[in-house]
Amino acid sequence: MSSTDVSKMNPTAAKPKINIAGLLIEGRAFGALLVIIIFFSLMSPNYLTVSNLLIMSSHVAIYGILAIGMLLVILTGGIDLSVGSVLGLAGIIAGFLMQGITINSFGVILYPPVWAVTVMTLAFGAFLGSITGVLVAYLRVPSFVATLGILYVARGIALLITNGLTYNNLGGNETYGNTGFDWLGFNRLFGIPVSVIILALLAAIFGIILARSAFGRWIYATGGNQRAAELSGVPVPFVHICVYALSGMLASVAGLVLSSQLTSAGPTAGFTYEMIAIAAVVIGGASLNGGRGTVRGTMLGAFVIGFLSDGLVIIGVSAYWQTVFTGAVIVLAVLLNSLQYGGKRF
Amino acid sequence: MDTSIFPTSEPETSDIVLSARNVAKTFGSIQALKGVNFDVRRGQVTSLFGENGAGKSTLMKILSGVYKPTSGTIILDGEPIEFDSSTDARNHGISIIHQELSLAPNMTVRDNIFMGREIRTMKGVDFAEEERQCRLLLAELEENIDPKTRVEELRLGQQQIVEIARALSVNSRILIMDEPTSALSASEVEVLFKVIRDLKSRGVSIVYISHHLEEALQITDHAVVLRDGNMTAYAPRGDIDLEWIVRHMVGEHFNLGTPPTGYEFGDTVLKVGAVTVVDATGNQKLVDELSLEVRAGEIVCIYGLMGAGRTELLECLAGRLAARQGRVHLHGRDITRASIAERIAEGLVLVPEDRQRDGLVQTMTIGQNLSLANLLRLVRGPFTSKRLEREHVDNAIRRTTVKAGSPDHLIGSLSGGNQQKVVIGKMWSTNPKAILLDEPSRGIDIGAKAEVFRLLAEGAREGLAVLYTTSEVGECLSVAHRIIVMHKGKISAEFGSDVTKARIMAASGEAVVH
Ligand SMILES: Nc1ncnc2c1ncn2[C@@H]1O[C@H](COP(=O)(O)OP(=O)(O)OP(=O)(O)O)[C@@H](O)[C@H]1O
Ligand SMILES: [Mg+2]
């Protein structure tokens, strides 16, 4: 169908600044968030307290960081199923490095400082992501398939490295000079958990990149119409590699934050988190066809999911029902989405 | 103006099968139609003329149930009626060929033609029967397309034929054609006209929209002119000629210009040396060792039938298709291996033929589309400068005379012709040294066409090298200094601007019509 069909479904949507359509749907996510907060505060007096909100936010941070990377990929019209596994593997890599690297020929054990561990872990995530990027950009492997492959490979490597066990005691040791790993997960700046601050920073950075930079525009154009973007001189393969690399790197950030919060790293950490990230992006109003979506919406989506599942825990709903509720919220959000973008593409 | 020639508010004869009375349509703040009366007569062709954005497509979409009018009534067989959807209209015998193709590219020709109306039997869909009917239809249109090819593998012109075939397959009694010929060659148009005459004799009523005015005159029985959402003139065929249409459409007579003169051509800008392009299977040569040169300030037109290899040549020059052999030089630099982005930076740009597929990002606004090819030049510090972008967009809009409410509207809200101008404006504003335009006049009105050719002439005067393709002979004989005729991937003839239409057409391997 032609493009005009978008507005056929909803003629008023095309009239004012296009943002209004976006605001509407973000408004819905915002409305949902309010409903969730109000509902649970009525159900439990412990819900709407500063300390609980901060704790919930530090949980949201994990999903939120993953969801930012997922958004970048989805905006280009792809999907990244590997983020959960990459998150898990990143924790393992960090744990592995924290245990010290034995260099056999010298018979010494090297303990890299925490900053070096962080840098290496992030670089590793970006590297994994750029493999996907190359597969998608140059070898034309559908992103679904490429990232499904990475999902298994990364999980497998994590299990291989640890033999299925968990690295405990990531606190480091004074004598080796590698303490401070728990800073990410436990410390607070001005009373706010570091992980939440990291999320806010990342959201701000990527929000600005998407809205204001040429690279951001390239991402939207690639997802909106790859052929037209190419002919307009947009370096489409570069954009693809970048978004998958960024997604991998952000998954590593989330992996570091999670293992820091737990001061341990297990090979199964982050299992099915990719689904939560996708859900956050979709609830936030992004189109899975690519080309539409914002960081702001995605953040709202992440908070909806995080506050909902924590709320259900607080009021003592069984884990099984939690799953059902989360699923219902996702379907509802996607339903609203397809009403919004009704009919666009087949 | 003498208003008595307009249809009165009551449809007067039983001849009229479908009519619109005081139909208005607004999109937000845009008034696309301001109270239009329009009649469709049984077994006759009513042509609708008007500039880009005049409201032609909007009126047709209302008549075919795609849009609901904001006010006014639709009268079918003397009874007021409201269509719930285009399917509803189709069930009442009205079908439409949309200006922008609405085919599913990943499906076969057969499946597209029968989409939503599959021939069902107890054992599922009767593909054999569908295929047989499909072959009949395509044979009637004298087009040699296998019903089992996927639509995305077809040339744009062939896709348009499929779109036409689909509308014909419904056997409706009112058939609306919104620019059905914009991508067809002259001989394909002849065939279509034969089909239209045949339909007329069977009592089918036809509404025909085209910016190829001469062509439309061959088939028209009644002409209606729309301007800015108002109906400004109506007359039966006997009373009109080309001049009448143009006068009512734009108020003055336009010609497509003459080759700019009074200056010397500069150095060779674009040099194509024995370039060969092969198709996906690697067996067939689409462009066959073709060589040509374009100098600064020179305008070269490539004429050819569909399938002559024009699009492939231009896509290869722009970097979209790889050359099997041969070299491309821009200002003496070998760019045969350069990427599309590098070529744009060097000053070689392409305005593609298929604007929906290759030209526009539908999810973006008019302004974002216009600045897409130029973003890096709008960057100040880490970000694109809002002010620079705004200026850039405003300039491009002014230069290419895009008729838009605001650059912040989605690109899809523009009329077809204005979308085309946005594609031209986007590439033009990169300040190219050589510009390639593949059918730049596709779907734009005569005034805009004159604008585009004026723009090309102006650019050439400032030293731009211009290479454009067309399948309308009239457009060869406008601003081009040199006319190259392509046939089966090779240059079959080359003429100066003083050549006649007949010689161009003969060289293209086309039977001379008229
Ligand atoms: N869906 C829409 N939303 C907003 N504005 C629209 C929409 N469709 C059409 N318009 C506006 O209505 C006016 C008439 O558009 P229409 O497509 O009917 O023009 P047209 O006569 O078919 O032009 P062309 O010759 O370029 O195809 C234009 O100003 C256009 O921008
Ligand atoms: Mg139109």
Side-chain angles (χ1 to χ4, degrees), chain B residues 56-57 99 178-179 415-416:
Chain B
K56 305 181 295 295
S57 299
Q99 181 175 14
D178 195 351
E179 299 207 38
S415 74

Side-chain angles (χ1 to χ4, degrees), chain A residues 7, chain B residues 27 32 51-58 67 99 211 413-417:
Chain A
S7 25
Chain B
F27 296 102
E51 289 180 280
N52 294 133
K56 305 181 295 295
S57 299
T58 307
Y67 291 154
Q99 181 175 14
H211 287 298
S413 67
L414 290 183
S415 74

Side-chain angles (χ1 to χ4, degrees), chain A residues 2-4 8 15 17-18 208 212 214 217-218 220-221 224-225 227-228 230-233 291-292 344 346, chain B residues 28 61 66 320 340-341 344 356-358 360-364 371 373 375 383-384 389 408-410 412 426:
Chain A
S2 73
S3 59
T4 41
K8 172 189 76 186
K15 158 194 58 167
K17 293 225 170 30
I18 41 138
I208 290 185
R212 301 277 317 275
R217 200 70 71 73
W218 287 349
Y220 282 107
N225 183 350
R227 292 178 64 107
E230 238 163 37
L231 275 182
S232 303
R292 300 178 216 242
K344 173 72 185 165
F346 315 95
Chain B
K61 284 180 185 163
V66 179
R320 155 62 72 63
I340 299 175
I344 293 175
Q356 297 305 325
R357 197 182 55 174
D358 299 328
L360 299 169
V361 181
Q362 302 292 356
T363 49
M364 292 182 137
S371 56
L375 276 178
F383 302 121
T384 51
E389 183 172 359
D408 296 330
H409 290 177
L410 278 179
K426 171 177 71 175

Side-chain angles (χ1 to χ4, degrees), chain B residues 227-253:
Chain B
R227 194 168 170 183
D228 283 331
N230 289 309
M231 185 177 144
T232 52
Y234 160 82
R237 174 68 181 96
D239 301 351
I240 60 173
D241 54 12
L242 194 61
E243 195 267 328
W244 180 91
I245 302 174
V246 176
R247 181 158 43 84
H248 285 93
M249 253 175 78
V250 284
E252 53 189 300
H253 191 75

